[in-house]
Amino acid sequence: MPPGKSKFQKELERLASKQIITVIGIGCLFFCAAIFGNTLMEQKMKQERHLDDVTGTFREVCNSVSSFLQDEENTETFFNCIEGLENGNGLQYRITKYNVDALVGINLILADPEGQILFSSFSQEVLNLHRREFNQIADANAKAQDGKLYRTVYYFSGETSEYVLIHPLYRDGVYMGSVAAYLKEGDWNRLFQKYQYDIILTAAGGDVIYCSNSSFTSGSTVNKYRPREMERYCQVNDSRYLAGRRYLSEQNVYLYSFIYQPENGSYILIGILIILGLGIVWMLLFFHLLQKMAEKTSQSVRMLVEEIRLIRKKDTEHVIEIETGGEIEEIARQINMMVESVNELNRKNLDLLEINNRMEIQNLQAQINPHFIYNTLDNIRFLIVQDARKADELIGRFTRILRYSINNTKQITSLQEDMEYIEDYLVIQKTRFGDRFQCEVDIGTECSRVLVPKLLLQPLIENSLKYGFRKKASIHVFIRGRIEGEYLVLQVEDDGPGQPKSTLETLIGILRSGEINTVHNGLQNINRRVILEYGNHSGLSLESREGLGFTVTIRLWMKGGEKHVQCSAGGG
């Protein structure tokens, strides 16, 4: 091999690098998105909780004031004051009692049907002309509500605003006057101080009920807050706030929440740089690990191929020594076992060829072609880069073939089991030749449990491929099996170039001859094996037409061979 990285290693690193960069890039993006998304979600949840708290508190206050105004005993007191039956001391007592436990205290103004004030809990200084005129106008508006509570906001220049609830009083359908509750603005301030965020409460028209920070309303129309568009963030005096709004339809009130949110662009940039830095560190670590793994895998495959070349070309006794702890080591171990078995069989063949028929049968056991092993490993080597899943499947099939071929304890098997081995062999050859090689198997179900010599059909299929591809670009092989009387008939047919008549006659002559032929010994060995083991009733027959194909037919007498070929009731 040339120095430096092999093509296999470079391709493996390239493909894995793409995956690593993609995974780490996506991971960084998701990490950033998760951080920012979590921050935004946390801010939104914080604001929703704030709005929920303010909404609950505001509704509690309004419901409490409404209950006070609409209470039957209180209403009776209102009527008595309007009709002059009471002097107002009882009403003052009820107001004082309510304010003791109320979240927000109230001042009360009781007016007659003409809007004239009959009772007020305000001091004379506070109950100025402006408030009197406001109350008279609000009283007229409340009268038009048909008994429903009327809500408005009172504001006097330079003073705080007060939320006003007015209850029109009717008796037997006759308007008797109104009672107005002015909620104390100072109590609102005390009530909402427990929340750490700023709020603004406004009526539907934008009149401010309460504002925790006057900076939000500065520059606006007096006591008005009505943003044209509700943006997510707002800027107030160089400070940024997360803004939120909620409308309370029952009270016809808007709630605005403002959570201080300073500019965090620098923090975001630092966070992104940290994430990118970590991504680069991870990437470098993965690249280093990838390079080591690719180098180790490539080195193992290269070493295995070199060892197989040495066995194939120079030293058939050579033992492969690879310690990778993975499939490559397992393949090497299986190849060593196979080579050792093949060499052992070769030695036995040389010693026992002249002894007797039984010894000759052992000498003629089928062997895996080293070229097949070398080509298969080369295919696996390139598939590891192109299609790892297919490479894994081929390794499994190849390992099963090796185990099956070197299992010397089992020389006879059912046709069904032998065809499972043939299926693995065909898949490997199909992977190698692609669409150039097609195969059809048609074996009757009655044949599957018949016992046959192991590795009987593989050499015939290999011959079809070996001689077929010499003159044709594609080969179609047919494997058939049937039972004819006392015989199991197996047939391997291809549509290759076939053989001329003279060559066919030569091959038939070699099959009939007892002398060992070194050129076409594959067919001769199979024929001798069948004849020796199953008698003269069995053997191979050949058919061929030049340019049309070649057919090998095997006939096995099922009553011969010392029970080796028979129908097994137990499935073989």
Side-chain angles (χ1 to χ4, degrees):
M1 295 294 292
K5 296 181 181 179
S6 65
K7 182 179 179 181
F8 165 72
Q9 181 178 347
K10 291 179 179 178
E11 186 66 16
L12 181 60
E13 290 182 0
R14 185 182 66 82
L15 293 176
S17 297
K18 284 184 178 180
Q19 297 296 325
I20 289 174
I21 293 173
T22 302
V23 169
I24 292 180
I26 293 175
C28 289
L29 288 176
F30 273 110
F31 191 60
C32 291
I35 291 177
F36 297 141
N38 181 68
T39 301
L40 293 176
M41 186 178 298
E42 184 179 357
Q43 292 175 353
K44 185 64 176 177
M45 291 176 63
K46 188 185 300 182
Q47 188 171 73
E48 287 299 317
R49 286 196 298 268
H50 183 221
L51 287 172
D52 289 340
D53 293 340
V54 174
T55 298
T57 301
F58 183 77
R59 282 176 173 167
E60 184 180 355
V61 171
C62 291
N63 291 337
S64 176
V65 175
S66 299
S67 298
F68 176 81
L69 295 178
Q70 295 173 341
D71 181 76
E72 291 183 1
E73 292 184 3
N74 292 340
T75 301
E76 190 63 30
T77 301
F78 298 152
F79 284 136
N80 290 338
C81 289
I82 292 174
E83 294 172 349
L85 301 178
E86 293 187 21
N87 58 8
N89 291 335
L91 183 55
Q92 182 65 50
Y93 169 77
R94 291 180 180 276
I95 297 172
T96 303
K97 182 180 178 181
Y98 172 81
N99 286 340
V100 170
D101 299 321
L103 295 176
V104 176
I106 61 173
N107 283 299
L108 216 63
I109 294 180
L110 182 65
D112 63 13
E114 286 75 31
Q116 299 301 315
I117 297 177
L118 300 176
F119 170 84
S120 171
S121 62
F122 288 106
S123 65
Q124 290 299 321
E125 180 182 355
V126 176
L127 190 62
N128 52 34
L129 179 61
H130 184 273
R131 188 182 294 272
R132 288 176 181 275
E133 291 179 353
F134 169 82
N135 194 82
Q136 192 170 18
I137 295 171
D139 179 73
N141 292 334
K143 184 178 179 181
Q145 295 297 310
D146 296 329
K148 297 180 181 179
L149 283 176
Y150 175 70
R151 305 167 190 270
T152 185
V153 179
Y154 173 74
Y155 177 80
F156 188 58
S157 178
E159 298 182 2
T160 56
S161 58
E162 298 172 62
Y163 190 45
V164 183
L165 277 70
I166 302 177
H167 178 43
L169 301 171
Y170 286 86
R171 174 178 284 175
D172 299 329
V174 178
Y175 180 67
M176 302 294 292
S178 67
V179 57
Y182 288 74
L183 280 67
K184 298 179 180 180
E185 197 274 344
D187 288 353
W188 285 117
N189 193 53
R190 173 181 52 79
L191 185 62
F192 288 127
Q193 277 183 349
K194 62 182 180 181
Y195 304 123
Q196 57 179 320
Y197 309 120
D198 290 310
I199 62 172
I200 297 177
L201 302 175
T202 73
D207 296 322
V208 176
I209 299 171
Y210 171 75
C211 178
S212 62
N213 188 342
S214 60
S215 299
F216 290 101
T217 57
S218 62
S220 305
T221 305
V222 176
N223 202 49
K224 292 283 186 179
Y225 184 79
R226 190 162 42 194
R228 286 174 296 179
E229 293 183 4
M230 195 61 194
E231 298 179 349
R232 182 173 180 81
Y233 294 98
C234 66
Q235 200 79 15
V236 178
N237 295 337
D238 299 328
S239 296
R240 192 179 73 153
Y241 292 85
L242 177 66
R245 179 175 64 180
R246 179 177 295 176
Y247 175 65
L248 307 182
S249 58
E250 182 181 351
Q251 289 80 22
N252 199 21
V253 167
Y254 283 98
L255 273 61
Y256 297 89
S257 169
F258 301 92
I259 298 177
Y260 178 64
Q261 194 72 39
E263 296 287 348
N264 53 1
S266 58
Y267 296 104
I268 294 176
L269 180 60
I270 292 174
I272 292 175
L273 292 177
I274 291 175
I275 293 173
L276 291 178
L278 290 174
I280 293 173
V281 171
W282 293 337
M283 194 176 301
L284 292 176
L285 290 175
F286 281 129
F287 280 155
H288 179 71
L289 181 61
L290 166 65
Q291 188 175 12
K292 293 296 183 183
M293 292 176 63
E295 183 179 352
K296 183 178 180 181
T297 303
S298 177
Q299 183 179 2
S300 299
V301 174
R302 184 167 59 244
M303 187 184 306
L304 182 61
V305 172
E306 291 293 338
E307 295 284 300
I308 294 174
R309 285 176 178 167
L310 181 61
I311 294 174
R312 184 168 64 93
K313 295 181 178 180
K314 297 181 180 180
D315 183 8
T316 58
E317 300 286 341
H318 179 70
V319 177
I320 300 175
E321 296 182 357
I322 296 178
E323 297 181 359
T324 62
E327 287 79 2
I328 301 298
E329 183 177 345
E330 173 65 16
I331 292 174
R333 189 171 67 85
Q334 295 293 340
I335 292 175
N336 284 335
M337 294 172 62
M338 182 273 299
V339 171
E340 182 180 354
S341 177
V342 170
N343 290 334
E344 181 66 23
L345 287 175
N346 285 335
R347 287 192 294 268
K348 287 183 179 181
N349 288 340
L350 293 175
D351 295 336
L352 303 177
L353 185 59
E354 299 178 356
I355 297 179
N356 53 38
N357 288 345
R358 182 65 179 172
M359 295 299 103
E360 184 173 1
I361 290 174
Q362 294 180 3
N363 295 337
L364 296 176
Q365 294 293 324
Q367 304 167 16
I368 297 295
N369 191 335
H371 289 279
F372 170 72
I373 298 174
Y374 177 76
N375 292 330
T376 301
L377 289 174
D378 260 353
N379 285 339
I380 292 173
R381 175 187 176 189
F382 287 103
L383 279 175
I384 289 175
V385 176
Q386 300 173 358
D387 190 346
R389 183 176 295 178
K390 185 67 176 178
D392 182 66
E393 178 190 353
L394 242 60
I395 288 173
R397 293 183 181 273
F398 185 48
T399 302
R400 287 198 295 271
I401 290 175
L402 293 177
R403 288 174 177 167
Y404 184 84
S405 66
I406 65 177
N407 184 5
N408 294 325
T409 63
K410 189 175 184 180
Q411 302 301 334
I412 301 298
T413 184
S414 67
L415 180 60
Q416 179 178 351
E417 183 177 352
D418 205 56
M419 287 307 298
E420 290 176 0
Y421 152 78
I422 291 297
E423 180 183 358
D424 289 335
Y425 176 81
L426 292 174
V427 170
I428 292 176
Q429 294 290 28
K430 183 71 172 67
T431 302
R432 178 187 175 191
F433 294 108
D435 293 335
R436 297 170 56 207
F437 171 52
Q438 301 293 329
C439 182
E440 293 183 23
V441 179
D442 182 16
I443 296 180
T445 56
E446 70 275 13
C447 304
S448 61
R449 293 161 58 186
V450 176
L451 301 181
V452 298
K454 187 178 73 172
L455 304 174
L456 183 63
L457 297 179
Q458 184 268 340
L460 303 181
I461 301 171
E462 190 172 84
N463 275 347
S464 293
L465 298 176
K466 176 180 177 181
Y467 294 102
F469 278 118
R470 287 184 177 180
K471 294 184 178 181
K472 295 192 69 175
S474 61
I475 294 295
H476 201 144
V477 176
F478 304 85
I479 303 173
R480 303 183 180 92
R482 63 187 183 276
I483 292 179
E484 294 182 357
E486 297 180 345
Y487 289 90
L488 171 66
V489 179
L490 301 173
Q491 193 174 70
V492 177
E493 177 185 358
D494 65 65
D495 61 353
Q499 298 291 343
K501 185 176 181 180
S502 59
T503 303
L504 180 63
E505 292 176 351
T506 300
L507 291 175
I508 294 174
I510 290 174
L511 292 184
R512 294 173 180 174
S513 173
E515 298 179 0
I516 297 177
N517 186 280
T518 59
V519 179
H520 301 286
N521 61 347
L523 293 175
Q524 186 186 39
N525 284 347
I526 296 173
N527 189 54
R528 292 178 67 198
R529 180 182 181 187
V530 170
I531 292 175
L532 287 172
E533 201 165 85
Y534 309 110
N536 291 327
H537 299 283
S538 305
L540 270 66
S541 61
L542 308 178
E543 298 177 27
S544 179
R545 293 178 62 186
E546 187 174 5
L548 297 178
F550 193 87
T551 304
V552 179
T553 303
I554 304 176
R555 293 173 62 83
L556 299 177
W557 186 38
M558 294 189 296
K559 293 186 178 180
E562 299 180 354
K563 301 189 296 181
H564 289 313
V565 183
Q566 59 181 329
C567 288
S568 171

